[in-house]
Amino acid sequence: MGSHHEHSHERGHGHDHAHGHDHAHGHGHSHAPKDFGRAFLIGIVLNTGFVVVEAVYGWLSGSMALIADAGHNLSDVLALLLAWGASAAAKRPATQRFTYGFKSSTILAALANAGLLLIAIGAILFETLRRVAEPAPVQGETMAVVAGIGILVNAGTAALFLKGQDDINIRGAFLHMAADALVSLGVVIAGLAILWTGERWIDPAVSIAIVLVIAWGTWGLLKDSVAMSLLAVPKTVSQSGVRAYLAGLPGVEVVHDLHIWPMSTTETALTAHLVMPGGHPGDDFLREVAEELAHHHRIGHTTIQIERDRVCVGGC
């Protein structure tokens, strides 16, 4: 019995790497890090260039607002570098110590980017409250023109990541760029409105509206990245649907120790014990189960353990 139990596990696991990994590579990376390598490079170059331009014009015009915004835009370069580094790390092969490779670094990057967005929200709020207490004269056309360039740079970079929204690592990069485009748009609108009306309250009011929009997007990213960090079942997978499918397979009496978790922001793994009193049904059965889970449940890495009787190790 013991040898059969172990043999079944080996066959299930061997199958996972024969089929499951190939499928995950073909499907999970369809929004692949490699597809976004060029987008990250363009985004980093554009944003670094814009930071330099903004800091120089801020210094020349004596505008602290522009210099402060240049510092904020520098955090976006860091956010893009984080996301790109994680995407590159996810493609590195497994090692003896890191047997999954570095796939989960994409989850860490998404979590870090959510944290950076929260810091950005705090910085904008702090600056807004300071402006309410000490209204500053508008810096004129220079501010509006530089902020206008900021809209183009940030919106253009955000557009590069528009197609990768189901990968929260890519979504983190997108949200940073979209948030900055909004900040720049707010500066332009507020600047023009104040020039037309002379009302200084417009500037902080627009800033608060921008903060609320960024906070809405950040909350979703933070919630999803924390859930992934805690190995929650990905949103794209129905745990009850997977359990019902496995329980309904011919010869399966009980499904236990079912675990589904994200290996990265694009790849999902599953382990399950199937009690089959009739004995091991063969490799074709395992292959079909993994294919079904890959194609219909988006789970690319499957390990199935077959048991004649329910075997509990460390509790079920």
Side-chain angles (χ1 to χ4, degrees):
M1 175 63 205
S3 62
H4 176 79
H5 166 85
E6 209 165 304
H7 180 61
S8 302
H9 180 73
E10 289 289 329
R11 290 167 78 175
H13 195 71
H15 167 71
D16 161 44
H17 287 283
H19 168 81
H21 181 73
D22 289 344
H23 179 83
H25 183 73
H27 175 85
H29 288 273
S30 56
H31 310 286
K34 66 177 181 182
D35 293 341
F36 287 98
R38 192 159 161 260
F40 280 123
L41 184 60
I42 292 168
I44 288 165
V45 169
L46 279 176
N47 280 273
T48 304
F50 180 59
V51 165
V52 173
V53 168
E54 198 170 32
V56 168
Y57 273 95
W59 181 70
L60 290 174
S61 66
S63 168
M64 271 312 295
L66 281 180
I67 292 171
D69 197 44
H72 172 60
N73 280 316
L74 199 57
S75 77
D76 290 331
V77 175
L78 178 62
L80 287 173
L81 283 168
L82 265 173
W84 192 12
S87 291
K91 291 190 286 182
R92 287 183 61 189
T95 66
Q96 286 189 345
R97 187 174 182 198
F98 297 95
T99 55
Y100 276 131
F102 299 90
K103 297 177 190 300
S104 59
S105 58
T106 54
I107 298 171
L108 291 176
L111 193 59
N113 273 332
L116 278 173
L117 279 162
L118 287 175
I119 292 167
I121 288 169
I124 296 167
L125 268 179
F126 178 80
E127 178 63 22
T128 301
L129 293 173
R130 196 182 65 77
R131 281 188 218 162
V132 169
E134 302 169 22
V138 174
Q139 297 296 325
E141 288 77 11
T142 305
M143 246 181 102
V145 170
V146 175
I149 296 168
I151 296 171
L152 296 175
V153 170
N154 292 308
T157 307
L160 296 172
F161 300 106
L162 200 56
K163 289 183 180 177
Q165 295 302 292
D166 55 345
D167 177 350
I168 66 167
N169 183 41
I170 301 298
R171 197 166 97 218
F174 170 80
L175 278 174
H176 264 276
M177 296 300 106
D180 264 11
L182 275 175
V183 170
S184 297
L185 180 64
V187 171
V188 172
I189 291 171
L192 293 175
I194 293 165
L195 285 171
W196 287 334
T197 65
E199 296 289 340
R200 289 182 181 178
W201 62 265
I202 294 170
D203 185 28
V206 170
S207 292
I208 290 168
I210 290 164
V211 163
L212 291 173
V213 173
I214 298 171
W216 179 260
T218 303
W219 173 246
L221 177 67
L222 184 65
K223 200 169 59 171
D224 290 350
S225 54
V226 166
M228 279 193 155
S229 301
L230 295 173
L231 305 183
V233 177
K235 282 182 171 181
T236 53
V237 179
S238 164
Q239 199 261 13
S240 57
V242 170
R243 184 178 285 277
Y245 162 69
L246 293 173
L249 290 167
V252 173
E253 192 175 86
V254 177
V255 176
H256 68 97
D257 280 300
L258 172 63
H259 299 287
I260 305 166
W261 71 97
M263 294 175 67
S264 74
T265 51
T266 57
E267 293 181 56
T268 305
L270 171 148
T271 59
H273 293 220
L274 306 183
V275 178
M276 303 183 77
H280 195 289
D283 286 353
D284 284 345
F285 170 84
L286 293 171
R287 193 171 295 112
E288 285 166 18
V289 168
E291 280 182 10
E292 176 68 22
L293 289 171
H295 287 101
H296 294 103
H297 296 278
R298 300 184 70 174
I299 298 169
H301 300 258
T302 297
T303 304
I304 300 291
Q305 180 161 309
I306 307 297
E307 301 161 355
R308 283 184 186 273
D309 301 304
R310 183 163 177 158
V311 178
C312 289
V313 180
C316 291

